[in-house]
Amino acid sequence: MNDIYKNKVVLVTGASRGIGEAIANKFALLGAHVIGTGTTTESAQRITDKFVDKNLSGTGLVLNISEKKSVETFAKIIQEMDAPSILINNAGVTRDNLLMRMKDDEWDDVINANLTGMFRITRLCLRPMMKAKYGKIINITSVVGLTGNPGQTNYAATKAGMIGFTQSLAKEVGSRGITVNAVAPGFIKTDMTDGLSDEIHQAVLKQIVLERLGDPDEIASVVEFLASPRADYITGQTISVNGGMYMG
């Protein structure tokens, strides 16, 4: 086991499954102490149990990034711990619908989680990073933030917004030794894609040059690279990991 991240605290939001779980596992295997968040007590406990089962350093905590009170409670808890020096903003939601049919709460829920939630957690972690003059922030956006997607105006807007957020914050905090980057996954094999019908699955594959879905660990590897010293001169960038689905 490599210990490149020994004595580093990594915060991964939305770590109970899929891409977030793969990212949390990747950093824990490389020696970090990982704080992974889930929206319920049960999901947070599952995160902790997985670390314990693998004899890795990490814990699961409850956090609903779309709720201000949840963020405030979370802030009090991590103030009693070592401050994260690496933040992975992965948590997010979808509420798909055509714009003409989209209800206000379907719009608001996605904005509150994917953008406002990211803002609150990043602001929470930024002060100790600036004090330490070191930090790595990686935001998980999406290929649809670059291309758009019918039925996902709310989701695509937030994912495009994350890219602008990434670039702007990178310019604000670069002089403090903090890098800010984004990773834009394409279609990745997760619980969500497992639920696609065969017809939709085949239609998706036709859009992908490599003719397969990505693996969550392939996203985790790029995230880990951006958090490592190998990427110290990279900031304000969005790295697409989509099998050639979109080339821009």
Side-chain angles (χ1 to χ4, degrees):
M1 184 186 298
N2 196 321
D3 62 353
I4 182 174
Y5 294 102
K6 185 178 181 181
N7 300 323
K8 291 283 194 301
V9 176
V10 180
L11 172 57
V12 183
T13 64
S16 63
R17 61 181 181 172
I19 291 172
E21 180 181 1
I23 293 170
N25 189 62
K26 173 75 72 177
F27 280 104
L29 286 170
L30 293 173
H33 177 76
V34 178
I35 301 170
T37 74
T39 56
T40 65
T41 302
E42 292 76 18
S43 62
Q45 187 59 52
R46 285 197 299 272
I47 294 168
T48 298
D49 292 343
K50 288 173 183 177
F51 288 135
V52 172
D53 290 344
K54 296 178 181 179
N55 197 29
L56 298 173
S57 178
T59 187
L61 294 176
V62 176
L63 172 65
N64 184 338
I65 60 171
S66 65
E67 295 181 359
K68 186 176 181 180
K69 286 186 178 180
S70 180
V71 175
E72 291 172 348
T73 300
F74 179 79
K76 292 176 182 177
I77 294 172
I78 65 168
Q79 282 173 0
E80 300 174 0
M81 309 167 71
D82 290 337
S85 56
I86 299 170
L87 168 63
I88 316 300
N89 282 309
N90 171 71
V93 301
T94 58
R95 298 286 186 272
D96 297 349
N97 210 341
L98 295 174
L99 185 66
M100 284 295 293
R101 300 175 183 170
M102 189 172 290
K103 299 177 178 63
D104 284 358
D105 63 336
E106 291 173 328
W107 176 269
D108 293 341
D109 287 351
V110 175
I111 297 293
N112 286 339
N114 299 2
L115 276 182
T116 306
M118 175 186 64
F119 153 70
R120 288 174 178 149
I121 294 301
T122 303
R123 183 177 60 180
L124 173 64
C125 294
L126 203 54
R127 188 177 298 278
M129 287 182 180
M130 294 179 74
K131 185 176 181 181
K133 294 186 177 180
Y134 173 85
K136 301 277 189 170
I137 299 171
I138 298 107
N139 302 317
I140 308 302
T141 178
S142 169
V143 64
V144 304
L146 300 166
T147 65
N149 198 37
Q152 289 193 312
T153 52
N154 50 2
Y155 184 73
T158 62
K159 292 303 181 178
M162 290 178 77
I163 294 171
F165 178 99
T166 297
Q167 295 169 338
S168 298
L169 184 59
K171 291 182 177 183
E172 289 184 16
V173 299
S175 63
R176 300 297 185 99
I178 302 167
T179 64
V180 189
N181 291 289
V183 175
F187 279 89
I188 307 301
K189 186 173 176 56
T190 62
D191 293 345
M192 185 182 299
T193 55
D194 286 345
L196 296 176
S197 68
D198 289 341
E199 183 180 0
I200 294 176
H201 184 85
Q202 291 303 316
V204 167
L205 290 180
K206 288 179 181 178
Q207 301 177 55
I208 302 172
V209 172
L210 297 183
E211 299 181 340
R212 68 174 178 86
L213 301 185
D215 186 87
D217 194 59
E218 292 176 305
I219 305 301
S221 294
V222 176
V223 171
E224 185 276 317
F225 164 72
L226 290 172
S228 75
R230 308 187 303 281
D232 279 352
Y233 200 54
I234 299 174
T235 196
Q237 304 304 307
T238 298
I239 311 298
S240 292
V241 188
N242 59 43
M245 179 181 176
Y246 170 76
M247 303 179 189

